[in-house]
Structures are given as C-alpha cells and as structure tokens.
Amino acid sequence: MNDVANAAQSWKVTLPCTRAEAEALDGDIAAFALMERPPVLMTSETAEDEAVWRLDAYFEGKPGAAAIKLLRSLVPSAAGAKPLVEALPDEDWVTMSQQGLDAVTAGCFHVRNIATDPALPGHVNLLIEAGRAFGTGQHETTAGCLAMLDRMRRVGMRFRNVADIGTGTGLLAFAALHLWRRAHAIASDIDPVAVEISADNARANGIALGDGPGRLALVTAAGADHAAIVGRAPYDLLIANILAGPLIELAPSLCALVEDGGTIVLAGLLNEQADAVLAAYRAQGMRLAERSDRGDWPTLRLRKRPSIGWKRPRRINRRARGEAPGFGSI
C-alpha cells in the first residue's frame, strides 16, 4: 500500500471528530503499525466550539489516498467532511506534535516528555523530551516493556550484562540500568540520529556513557551486526522493541547472543503477530515465560532453555552477521 508518496516533506491531515471518537484514539492504532512511516495522531477541542473536536495526523511525506481513507475510518462522524491536507513548513513537526503529551507511568517508572512537568515522588523519574527519535514512553510497546522490566526486578531477577537492540531514545536501556545499577549495558539502533539522541538523553538522565559497570555503550548497527555487540556476548538480558518482521528475521542472531537461562524481552508486535514471533524464537531454544498485553500490543518475556552435554554453546559464532537491513527502532 502506497501510504506516503513523498518522504521529503512533512504533511498534516485534519478531520473533525466527536469527543467520543477522540477518546477512542487514545493509545496506539494497530492499523498504522504496518505502515513504514506511521503518522502521529493528535486530538483536541476546537477553539471555536469546545463541543467540537478535531483529529490532526502528522505524516512524513504526502499521504496517499489509502492513508486518508484509513484516517476517515477512525472518525466515522467525518464521513461527509473534506479533509484538510496541508504541507508543513520545514520544522521539527514530531516535537511540535508531541509537546502536549502527558507523562507516562509504567511500573516504578514515570516518564516525562517536558522538562517543566513535575517529577512523581516514589518513582524512577526519566525525562525523554519530544524530538527526532521515537520511544518517549507514549507507545504501548515501550510502556509495556517498562512495566515488564519492573516486574522482573520485583520478583528478584538480577542481570549483569544487558543489550537493548533498536533502542530509539535509549529509554529502555536507561530503565534497565536504574534497576540493575552494576550491570554492563549496550544499546544500538540502525538510525544514527537515534543513537545521537540517546546519548543526549543519557546525559540528561544522569546515565554514564562508556564501558564498565553501570555505564551504557551506544552503537549504530543493523540488528546485532556490530563487533561491540557480538564482543560483549553472551547477555543475560536482551531487549528488542522493534517490529514483528525484523524480530522474526533476527531471531537466530539475537538468541545466539543470549546465554543459557538468559532472558529476552520482545515488543513492537501486534496480537495477531505474536504466534509467528513466538514460533521463530521457540525454534531457537527459547520458551515463553510471561506475556503481558496492553491493548493490541503484547510484551513477551522469553527464557533460553539450557543445552546439554557437548551441544552446550559457549560463545556466539562471531562470523554470524546478525543483520536486518532497513529495520530500526519502533
């Protein structure tokens, strides 16, 4: 489906909607998950009439007829209305569209997107300001991973070597280091801008960069295809919050990075994709230890079954590239 015709320009589509429709759009829209560049959706009351609401959808590139039709299906009350489709000036529209986002609380974590928002007492407060990279905590998959990590810590799980593949803004790696403060950690993303933003976010949240216990190493990599990622293996905790396609494609290389008895946390997939993702990881010796759903988005915790006898793996095969070109963070 040709959802976006021209990725060089940012565009906005506006449609009227009811308050009930606006409230129903709170959270992630499963239909957009299959798009290469899903839009950012914002709903608000109109200035002229507080009883009338509007939907603004921000696209990277001019939206095609299929994308506009999908938007219309989300707000049936706008069936007779003509959508306002306009090109935006050359500004950071992602930041602009996210300025009004509320803070997110998941488990022990409270994630703010605006520095002036108050911290929440009794929680681990993290600041991930809206910007060029995604993963601000608003996405159900990111919040689901935060809650999963918190539960793992509460039941006494301990980790010393952590990898976050497809890190986005670095948020999940920061969370892991807050829970397991002496762990070694590395985070990667296929997008060098995401790695740059993650470094800025690490400094803003007091996360030390570099090697060693309690520090975070950052690398640009497609999947697990980086010497630093392979060289630090095996991991006792690996996190991958990306998409179902690359999760399946990367299953052999990601599982090879994890030690016997180690844990993988997977997210970024839809309910209907969970069986296929699980099958790919079970084929690599993983078993499902826990599943937690937030709307249409499951978070999976897998554990690697121990091998027996001479077949027991000692280290990852360093010749395996572990690459999934074209895939990055969600």
Side-chain angles (χ1 to χ4, degrees):
M1 181 170 65
N2 185 18
D3 299 296
V4 177
N6 177 16
Q9 177 72 56
S10 297
W11 289 70
K12 181 174 75 170
V13 179
T14 301
L15 282 166
C17 67
T18 66
R19 178 174 180 174
E21 290 169 338
E23 292 175 347
L25 292 175
D26 184 26
D28 297 290
I29 308 303
F32 284 123
L34 302 179
M35 293 175 59
E36 182 179 357
R37 296 184 179 91
V40 173
L41 304 183
M42 298 290 294
T43 57
S44 59
E45 297 171 326
T46 62
E48 297 81 8
D49 186 350
E50 293 184 356
V52 178
W53 287 61
R54 61 185 253 180
L55 166 65
D56 293 312
Y58 296 84
F59 289 85
E60 289 187 53
K62 186 176 182 180
I68 295 177
K69 182 179 179 180
L70 181 54
L71 276 179
R72 282 187 173 279
S73 71
L74 301 178
V75 286
S77 66
K82 182 178 180 181
L84 175 61
V85 182
E86 55 186 326
L88 297 177
D90 188 17
E91 297 177 347
D92 188 352
W93 62 271
V94 173
T95 299
M96 293 169 59
S97 68
Q98 292 183 345
Q99 288 300 320
L101 293 179
D102 294 330
V104 171
T105 302
C108 68
F109 298 101
H110 183 69
V111 185
R112 298 170 294 146
N113 301 131
I114 303 174
T116 55
D117 283 352
L120 185 63
H123 287 70
V124 176
N125 287 274
L126 297 169
L127 174 63
I128 307 292
E129 293 191 280
R132 292 168 289 170
F134 292 91
T136 60
Q138 297 289 332
H139 200 290
E140 296 288 356
T141 62
T142 307
C145 286
L146 290 173
M148 180 70 76
L149 293 175
D150 177 57
R151 285 197 300 277
M152 291 159 59
R153 177 66 175 81
R154 289 178 184 275
V155 299
M157 299 180 72
R158 300 288 187 271
F159 300 104
R160 67 185 186 280
N161 195 19
V162 179
D164 178 14
I165 305 299
T167 194
T169 57
L171 175 57
L172 297 179
F174 304 162
L177 282 174
H178 272 283
L179 296 174
W180 300 285
R181 293 185 177 274
R182 298 297 295 168
H184 293 73
I186 188 170
S188 70
D189 201 283
I190 194 172
D191 185 354
V193 172
V195 175
E196 175 188 332
I197 294 298
S198 294
D200 291 341
N201 288 336
R203 287 184 281 268
N205 287 279
I207 302 294
L209 296 176
D211 297 324
R215 293 178 175 270
L216 177 64
L218 288 167
V219 296
T220 301
D225 184 29
H226 196 284
I229 298 175
V230 175
R232 286 170 172 254
Y235 299 95
D236 49 9
L237 173 61
L238 186 145
I239 307 162
N241 179 23
I242 42 180
L243 297 171
L247 285 178
I248 292 172
E249 191 170 338
L250 289 169
S253 58
L254 295 187
C255 293
L257 291 168
V258 177
E259 68 182 20
D260 285 358
T263 295
I264 295 182
V265 174
L266 301 179
L269 58 147
L270 294 162
N271 280 330
E272 57 266 28
Q273 299 167 329
D275 288 344
V277 171
L278 281 171
Y281 283 78
R282 283 175 173 141
Q284 303 300 320
M286 306 298 298
R287 67 175 180 84
L288 179 64
E290 182 182 358
R291 171 173 173 164
S292 176
D293 290 16
R294 284 182 173 241
D296 294 316
W297 307 89
T299 302
L300 309 176
R301 176 167 66 87
L302 310 174
R303 189 172 182 187
K304 190 170 187 178
R305 299 177 186 275
S307 300
I308 300 174
W310 65 271
K311 292 184 178 180
R312 179 182 176 88
R314 296 296 181 183
R315 296 285 291 183
I316 184 174
N317 178 2
R318 296 178 182 274
R319 292 176 294 178
R321 290 181 57 81
E323 182 177 354
F327 299 114
S329 58
I330 190 168

